[in-house]
């Protein structure tokens, strides 16, 4: 699950993949349907434990369903986000669930306290209990590496680091601690664990996967599910310190072509089962109460609308008796659907729509579908039963309700200690020449690099906010940045330490620890065209300068995926893959720095759960270090020089400047649309060389991707060029946003007659004058218009130009 400003996201492959769209424009052929129809007999069998329910509970559910009106039943099938609904709305709309998306905080505050979270949850719950059938809402949140929305919570390493630990017992203990802290803020449901098996590390969510090895995913799936929920007991609700787990994203979100987020897994059924399904039987057998459908597709058919997977495989073959929830407006991507109208998803087996901002329209259309029989009463009642079953198991129903909200559980010391242990166990030593590590007692140490004192970099995405870019050490005063933790440990051992991100020092160090790596990201903005890590020029110069002065260099590499780092590995005397370790920097120091006895508190026990690339190509076919590789202090750590040639086109200019090419979005960019817009491939001057976009309601389309620096282009007076045709003009303003500044281009769109191809150029200086920032442009294009606009777009890019052009007016 994820969020963007009330947008449902649609990803288009760069080279001819079937694209999932809103409304009724997806081209789904009979051949597509056949290739995406599962044969349940070849899938692993499983079964939800009998203890997931009991006769008494089922009788109570039957009695309640018999009393519910059609409106009340339909309401149970819909989940809204706190940014788009107020507690009092539940008095009129009997919705079944509420969520808080990645950028949603109580009362608009992303940094709200546990007490404020509990207050908000109770406000929604109180109204729901007093309205309609009196069924309390189910409240869900993305707590994917600890209760990561909450300042002062315990933040564990992201899953990629936990995979490197190869320790299922650790995973279960982390599940217990995470559940306690979620419960401590009054919440009873987390959208975790992620059971993706990432195969192409260009995917921006690769770090949410534990491993590329399905066997490790299966082992961890059961452990985390039991940790979060506890062992199910018949007739007994979950304990107050446990919460509902969500096995996600069903299915093959980690197997899409080119690693495209929300893309298409173009694989046969045997590979789908062998690589991507193995975690789900383990989680279901362990009692998972919920499963989340994936945004992605299998051979062109969106999972939210694939009955052969959601019903025939998941509910029947795998015996799943809990509820199936959708992802953020994911139902709107199903052929023939929009974000506000999709009976097809319910008929396919979805039980609960995740409709963050589309809930009101979706409630009306789903009610209509139930009334006229497009959704049968049998299917409706089954979905309601599954939702109520989960609510009973969580102790939300009946007279003896489970009470959550013990805020003392948040950031509890034993949880922080567990996170510190997890950090230590996640570290993988790839090189240790001349026994550079551990850092000896009494050493003079410099800790430098962009990640040395940067809580956002070490915590990664899904921390406080969706992308995690604004996380600071002040959000987690119970944590330590890596640099501060190493400094403290060195000083405790009688040494001297300086923390300087720029690498400045007054007393020459014996060893320099350079902490660098990827900046924080989550889905979409984390998608990359290749696996080459490109350090900042200042960091490259720093390492070269240190080496020239005969100072040993330890590189601590922060990343959400293994990356091509050939030059860095060759430069470094020691190289540590630290992943995204979270807030407990002391876990790094425990392994790197010797204590009073001359030995570190812990040795390196982490081993790669993904292969490490020998070059920048992905998927990785010839790794530098294989799955399972990792050194420790008992093994010689010398390493011969490794390859420094990325073996891919490293030109960043095209990546940074081209956003739509012949109607397709090139990697690493993605096209996002809300449910108001439909699209189809059309011919402008050649076969399917453009895309036509139709605004069926007010809405916006966005090109999103990695943040790129366009300051140079802006200074050189480049211009944005849109190569397109207006098929039906807008009746109102058309806001075009670039670099965060919006202009009204309605007048410019009328430069040529309707139906005539044209090119519109807008100098970047126009956006600059409107307040655009060009240093980190992650969403270069956003076009917002009212219902009625129809535009066919072939190319969108920025270019050097000598043509003068006036500026459109600033959008209001």
């Amino acid at each position: 699950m994820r969020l963007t400003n009330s947008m449902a996201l649609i990803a288009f492959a760069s080279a001819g993949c079937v694209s999932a769209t809103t409304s009724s424009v997806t081209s789904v052929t009979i051949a597509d349907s056949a290739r995406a129809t599962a044969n349940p007999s070849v899938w692993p069998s499983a079964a939800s434990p009998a203890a997931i329910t009991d006769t008494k509970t089922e009788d109570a559910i039957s009695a309640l369903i018999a009393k519910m009106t059609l409106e009340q039943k339909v309401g149970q099938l819909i989940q809204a986000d706190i940014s788009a609904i107020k507690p009092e709305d539940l008095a009129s709309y009997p919705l079944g669930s509420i969520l808080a998306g990645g950028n949603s905080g109580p009362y608009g505050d992303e940094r709200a306290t546990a007490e404020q979270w509990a207050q908000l949850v109770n406000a929604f719950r109180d109204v729901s209990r007093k309205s309609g059938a009196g069924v309390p809402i189910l409240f869900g949140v993305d707590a994917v590496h600890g209760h990561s929305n909450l300042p002062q919570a315990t933040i564990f390493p992201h899953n990629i680091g936990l995979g490197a630990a190869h320790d299922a017992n650790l995973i279960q203990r982390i599940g217990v601690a995470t559940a306690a802290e979620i419960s401590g803020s009054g919440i009873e449901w987390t959208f975790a664990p992620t059971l993706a098996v990432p195969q192409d590390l260009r995917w921006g969510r690769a770090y949410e996967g534990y491993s590329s090895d399905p066997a490790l995913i299966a082992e961890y799936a059961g452990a985390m599910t039991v940790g979060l929920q506890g062992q199910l007991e018949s007739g007994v609700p979950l304990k107050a310190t446990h919460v509902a787990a969500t096995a996600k994203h069903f299915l093959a979100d980690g197997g899409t072509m080119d690693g495209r987020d929300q893309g298409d897994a173009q694989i046969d059924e045997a590979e789908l089962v062998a690589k991507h399904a193995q975690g789900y039987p383990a989680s279901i057998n362990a009692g998972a109460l919920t499963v989340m459908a994936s945004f992605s597709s299998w051979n062109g058919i969106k999972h939210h609308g694939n009955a052969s997977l959601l019903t025939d495989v998941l509910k029947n073959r795998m015996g799943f008796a809990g509820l199936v929830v959708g992802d953020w407006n994911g139902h709107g991507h199903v052929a023939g659907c929009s974000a506000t109208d999709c009976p097809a998803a319910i008929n396919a087996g979805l039980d609960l729509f995740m409709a963050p901002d589309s809930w009101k329209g979706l409630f009306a259309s789903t009610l209509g579908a139930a009334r006229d029989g497009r959704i049968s009463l049998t299917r409706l009642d089954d979905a309601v039963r599954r939702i109520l079953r989960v609510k009973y198991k969580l102790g939300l129903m009946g007279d003896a309700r489970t009470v959550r909200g013990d805020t003392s559980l948040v950031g509890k010391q034993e949880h922080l200690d567990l996170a510190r242990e997890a950090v230590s166990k996640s570290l993988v030593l790839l090189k240790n020449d001349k026994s550079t590590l551990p850092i000896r007692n009494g050493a003079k140490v410099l800790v430098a690099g962009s990640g040395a004192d940067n809580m956002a970099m070490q915590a990664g995405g899904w921390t406080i906010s969706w992308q995690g870019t604004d996380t600071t050490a002040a959000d987690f005063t119970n944590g330590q940045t890596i640099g501060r933790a190493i400094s403290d440990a060195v000083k405790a051992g009688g040494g001297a330490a300086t923390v300087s991100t720029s690498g400045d020092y007054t007393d020459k160090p014996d060893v320099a620890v350079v902490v660098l790596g990827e900046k924080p990201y989550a889905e979409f903005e984390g998608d990359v065209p290749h696996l080459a890590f490109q350090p900042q020029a200042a960091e490259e110069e720093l390492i070269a300068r240190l080496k020239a002065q005969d100072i040993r260099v330890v590189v601590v590499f922060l990343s959400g995926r293994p990356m091509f780092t050939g030059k860095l590995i060759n430069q470094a005397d020691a190289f540590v893959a630290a992943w995204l370790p979270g807030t407990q920097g002391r876990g790094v120091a425990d392994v790197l720095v010797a204590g009073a006895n001359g030995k570190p508190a812990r040795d390196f026990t982490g081993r790669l759960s993904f292969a490490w690339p020998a070059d920048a190509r992905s998927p990785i076919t010839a790794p530098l270090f294989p799955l399972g590789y990792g050194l420790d202090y008992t093994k010689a750590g010398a390493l011969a020089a490794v390859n420094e040639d990325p073996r891919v086109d490293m030109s960043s200019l095209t990546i940074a400047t081209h956003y739509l090419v012949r109607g397709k979005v090139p990697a690493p960019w993605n096209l996002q649309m809300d449910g108001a817009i439909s699209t189809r491939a059309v011919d402008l001057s050649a076969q399917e060389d453009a895309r036509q976009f139709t605004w069926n309601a007010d809405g916006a389309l966005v090109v999103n991707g990695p943040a790129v620096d366009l300051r140079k282009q802006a200074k050189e007076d480049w211009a944005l060029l849109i190569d397109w045709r207006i098929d039906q003009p807008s009746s109102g303003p058309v806001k075009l946003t670039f670099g965060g500044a919006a202009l009204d281009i309605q007048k410019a769109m009328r430069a040529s007659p309707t139906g005539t191809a044209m090119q519109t150029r807008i100098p970047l200086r126009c956006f600059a004058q409107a307040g655009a920032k060009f240093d980190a442009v992650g969403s270069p294009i956003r076009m917002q218009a009212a219902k009625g606009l129809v535009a066919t777009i072939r190319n969108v890019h920025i270019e050097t130009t000598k043509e003068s052009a006036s500026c459109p007016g600033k959008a209001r």
Side-chain angles (χ1 to χ4, degrees):
M1 205 296 291
R2 61 96 193 69
L3 95 7
T4 84
N5 302 330
S6 76
M7 306 250 344
L9 302 166
I10 296 179
F12 290 83
S14 60
C17 296
V18 173
S19 57
T21 66
T22 54
S23 295
S24 56
V25 296
T26 300
S27 299
V28 177
T29 67
I30 294 174
D32 290 329
S33 298
R35 292 175 60 236
T37 300
N39 174 9
S41 67
V42 304
W43 290 69
S45 61
S48 292
I52 197 171
T53 189
D54 58 89
T55 302
K56 181 180 178 182
T57 297
E58 293 302 308
D59 288 346
I61 292 172
S62 295
L64 180 55
I65 289 175
K67 297 177 182 177
M68 294 173 73
T69 66
L70 197 62
E71 289 83 357
Q72 291 164 355
K73 292 179 181 180
V74 167
Q76 287 299 303
L77 274 58
I78 295 175
Q79 180 186 68
D81 185 76
I82 61 173
S83 65
I85 190 171
K86 297 178 180 178
E88 53 265 32
D89 290 328
L90 296 180
S92 302
Y93 294 90
L95 304 193
S97 183
I98 302 294
L99 82 147
N103 281 345
S104 298
Y107 313 106
D109 182 4
E110 284 187 353
R111 287 172 166 78
T113 64
E115 289 83 0
Q116 289 171 311
W117 277 99
Q119 178 184 349
L120 180 71
V121 173
N122 288 332
F124 278 107
R125 190 107 64 213
D126 288 347
V127 176
S128 63
R129 281 182 172 141
K130 297 173 184 176
S131 305
V135 179
I137 56 97
L138 181 62
F139 197 101
V141 67
D142 282 291
V144 297
H145 63 134
H147 195 3
S148 47
N149 292 283
L150 186 61
Q152 308 305 332
T154 304
I155 306 301
F156 293 94
H158 267 294
N159 287 352
I160 191 169
L162 298 181
H166 294 273
D167 186 340
N169 174 265
L170 174 69
I171 297 306
Q172 184 165 332
R173 288 186 287 138
I174 288 172
V176 171
T178 300
E181 298 205 9
I182 296 167
S183 169
S185 61
I187 298 170
E188 68 279 349
W189 183 18
T190 177
F191 303 131
T194 296
L195 303 181
V197 190
Q199 300 298 299
D200 190 325
L201 296 174
R202 290 176 291 181
W203 186 36
R205 303 189 76 166
Y207 66 78
E208 295 185 51
Y210 295 113
S211 177
S212 61
D213 178 9
L216 184 60
I217 301 298
E219 184 180 9
Y220 275 20
M224 181 57 81
T225 300
V226 171
L228 290 167
Q229 296 187 171
Q231 295 285 356
L232 301 190
E233 299 178 53
S234 182
V236 179
L238 301 193
K239 292 181 174 62
T241 54
H242 285 292
V243 300
T246 305
K248 72 176 189 182
H249 305 85
F250 191 82
L251 188 65
D253 48 341
T256 62
M257 179 64 68
D258 299 327
R260 302 298 297 269
D261 195 50
Q262 300 184 18
D264 190 21
Q266 298 176 18
I267 56 179
D268 62 27
E269 187 170 12
E271 183 176 349
L272 184 68
V273 174
K275 286 186 178 177
H276 300 286
Q278 298 306 307
Y280 291 91
S283 185
I284 291 167
N285 288 338
L289 293 179
T290 77
V291 170
M292 184 181 290
S294 177
F295 268 118
S296 58
S297 309
W298 175 39
N299 290 329
I301 305 298
K302 283 293 181 182
H303 292 307
H304 277 68
N306 193 326
S308 75
L309 289 176
L310 294 184
T311 297
D312 299 343
V313 169
L314 179 60
K315 292 184 175 180
N316 295 338
R317 178 67 174 175
M318 293 187 181
F320 176 60
L323 72 85
V324 179
V325 64
D327 208 335
W328 191 276
N329 279 333
H331 55 277
H333 301 186
V334 174
C337 289
S338 71
T340 55
D341 188 6
C342 195
I346 298 297
N347 291 333
L350 195 75
D351 300 309
L352 180 61
F353 288 115
M354 186 180 287
D357 55 349
S358 58
W359 61 270
K360 190 174 290 187
L362 187 63
F363 174 81
S365 68
T366 306
L367 181 59
R371 282 173 172 161
D372 65 22
R374 283 176 292 151
I375 297 174
S376 71
L377 185 60
T378 299
R379 172 77 270 265
L380 179 64
D381 284 354
D382 175 61
V384 173
R385 177 175 295 276
R386 289 169 176 271
I387 293 165
L388 294 177
R389 184 178 292 149
V390 171
K391 292 183 177 183
Y392 268 98
K393 201 63 186 176
L394 286 167
L396 301 177
M397 307 291 291
D399 297 326
R401 296 166 185 158
T402 300
V403 177
R404 295 177 173 85
D406 179 359
T407 57
S408 68
L409 296 171
V410 177
K412 195 174 179 181
Q413 187 58 51
E414 67 183 75
H415 301 164
L416 299 172
D417 293 341
L418 177 61
R420 180 175 179 173
E421 174 189 346
V423 173
S424 295
K425 290 182 173 180
S426 73
L427 304 178
V428 180
L429 181 62
L430 300 181
K431 178 182 180 181
N432 191 23
D433 198 10
K434 303 173 185 176
S435 296
T436 298
L437 290 174
I439 298 170
R440 61 177 174 79
N441 284 348
K444 290 182 289 186
V445 179
L446 168 68
V447 189
S450 56
D453 198 25
N454 191 316
M455 189 63 79
M457 282 183 64
Q458 67 186 62
W462 294 109
T463 311
I464 301 299
S465 61
W466 176 37
Q467 296 291 327
T469 55
D470 59 347
T471 305
T472 70
D475 293 318
F476 300 102
T477 56
N478 52 11
Q480 317 82 36
T481 62
I482 292 170
R484 299 297 169 187
I486 291 176
S487 175
D488 290 345
V490 168
K491 292 174 182 176
T498 299
V499 178
S500 169
T501 57
S502 62
D504 296 331
Y505 60 84
T506 55
D507 194 7
K508 182 181 175 180
D510 301 310
V511 61
V513 180
V514 181
V515 187
L516 47 69
E518 292 188 291
K519 299 298 187 287
Y521 57 81
E523 55 206 293
F524 284 109
E525 294 195 20
D527 286 5
V528 293
H530 52 68
L531 296 183
F533 173 68
Q534 297 170 281
Q536 299 174 14
E539 289 173 328
E540 287 189 301
E541 294 168 1
L542 169 63
I543 293 173
R545 187 170 71 249
L546 292 168
K547 294 296 292 182
Q549 296 174 44
D550 200 28
I551 298 170
R552 291 194 183 185
V553 173
V554 177
V555 169
V556 175
F557 188 62
L558 301 174
S559 70
R561 58 194 132 212
M563 301 194 76
F564 172 60
T565 51
K567 184 176 180 180
L568 275 177
I569 290 175
N570 286 336
Q571 289 177 312
D573 296 287
F575 191 99
V576 178
W579 315 112
L580 302 170
T583 58
Q584 300 305 302
R586 286 178 184 147
V588 177
D590 287 343
V591 182
L592 269 62
V593 182
N597 62 356
K599 297 180 180 180
R602 293 181 181 273
D603 198 349
F604 284 95
T605 57
R607 301 293 182 264
L608 293 177
S609 60
F610 292 86
W612 194 277
D615 55 41
R617 294 175 293 183
S618 187
I620 300 167
T621 56
L624 176 61
F625 303 115
L627 185 77
Y629 179 86
L631 303 172
D632 56 44
Y633 290 137
T634 68
K635 300 175 183 176
L639 183 69
V642 303
N643 170 56
E644 295 187 7
D645 181 359
R647 298 176 181 143
V648 298
D649 179 7
M650 292 294 294
S651 171
S652 61
L653 186 60
T654 298
I655 294 168
T657 59
H658 287 66
Y659 315 119
L660 202 70
V661 179
R662 294 179 61 83
K664 297 181 177 66
V665 179
W669 304 107
N670 289 280
L671 184 65
Q672 311 170 19
M673 301 188 303
D674 58 24
I677 305 170
S678 58
T679 185
R680 63 190 180 99
V682 298
D683 303 345
L684 193 58
S685 60
Q687 183 176 5
E688 294 192 356
D689 67 337
R691 295 202 75 84
Q692 184 181 74
F693 299 90
T694 301
W695 273 255
N696 301 305
D698 296 358
L701 65 83
V702 180
V703 172
N704 205 339
V708 294
D709 188 345
L710 297 177
R711 287 176 291 185
K712 182 176 182 292
Q713 289 81 357
K715 289 179 180 178
E716 295 176 356
D717 207 21
W718 285 37
L720 174 68
L721 180 139
I722 308 176
D723 176 17
W724 60 343
R725 180 185 69 205
I726 305 304
D727 301 313
Q728 181 173 304
S730 173
S731 59
V734 178
K735 296 181 180 180
L736 180 66
T737 301
F738 191 101
L743 302 175
D744 184 355
I745 62 169
Q746 183 185 28
K747 184 177 180 181
M749 293 168 64
R750 295 173 179 168
S752 295
T754 299
T756 303
M758 65 176 181
Q759 292 187 337
T760 300
R761 283 184 175 82
I762 304 173
L764 295 188
R765 59 177 166 79
C766 301
F767 294 101
Q769 291 166 7
K773 305 295 183 183
F774 296 101
D775 57 335
V777 180
S779 297
I781 301 296
R782 184 177 194 274
M783 187 179 296
Q784 183 173 353
K787 177 181 179 180
L789 174 63
V790 181
T792 295
I793 306 177
R794 178 164 46 195
N795 299 304
V796 180
H797 61 258
I798 59 173
E799 62 179 18
T800 58
T801 180
K802 294 182 179 179
E803 297 183 22
S804 61
S806 59
C807 292
K810 184 176 180 180
R812 298 182 181 279

